[in-house]
Amino acid sequence: QVQLVESGGGLVQAGGSLKLSCAASGSIFSINGMNWYRQAPGKQRELVATITSGGSTNYVDSVKGRFAISRDNAKYTVYLQMNSLKPEDTAVYYCNMVIGISRYASKNYWGQGTQVTVSS
């Protein structure tokens, strides 16, 4: 059984910063891709940032230059540093990991979501 637990959301003024964390625990053989998604009210969930097992990163255009994804493999944790936050960044943020549960099998896991609210 694998569980992802997120932390770090909250209320911040426009221009402020927040750092999200997501830690995996349980029967983990390996962790491949780590991702952050977000879903604003009335909108579809969108992929915000990705980081591969090798450390390569990618971002949606709207957050490039403001957000930074990183990972600590020893702690099975992914982070999202969010700077220069805008009201349009307001959403529930979800972490997502592709976790190897054995040498030959992997599964997709999601965190519970954490609310980020940016006031103008």
Side-chain angles (χ1 to χ4, degrees):
Q1 187 75 4
V2 173
Q3 187 176 17
L4 271 56
V5 177
E6 299 180 33
S7 61
L11 173 64
V12 65
Q13 288 189 331
S17 298
L18 284 174
K19 186 173 184 177
L20 307 182
S21 301
C22 174
S25 62
S27 299
I28 298 170
F29 182 79
S30 63
I31 301 182
N32 301 315
M34 293 179 168
N35 312 294
W36 285 98
Y37 286 77
R38 67 185 178 187
Q39 188 166 20
K43 294 188 177 181
Q44 289 188 331
R45 189 173 297 190
E46 71 167 346
L47 178 60
V48 175
T50 67
I51 184 166
T52 67
S53 57
S56 296
T57 60
N58 199 13
Y59 302 91
V60 68
D61 285 346
S62 59
V63 308
K64 284 181 180 177
R66 300 188 298 120
F67 289 12
I69 188 171
S70 60
R71 61 191 286 168
D72 184 331
N73 292 325
K75 296 182 178 179
Y76 297 146
T77 299
V78 62
Y79 305 96
L80 186 67
Q81 177 67 48
M82 304 184 294
N83 300 324
S84 302
L85 282 160
K86 303 175 180 180
E88 51 264 43
D89 295 318
T90 296
V92 178
Y93 284 71
Y94 298 91
C95 65
N96 166 258
M97 298 186 189
V98 178
I99 294 178
I101 56 175
S102 73
R103 186 183 183 94
Y104 304 106
S106 62
K107 290 183 68 175
N108 203 21
Y109 291 92
W110 291 87
Q112 81 279 10
T114 186
Q115 178 70 46
V116 171
T117 302
V118 184
S119 63
S120 56

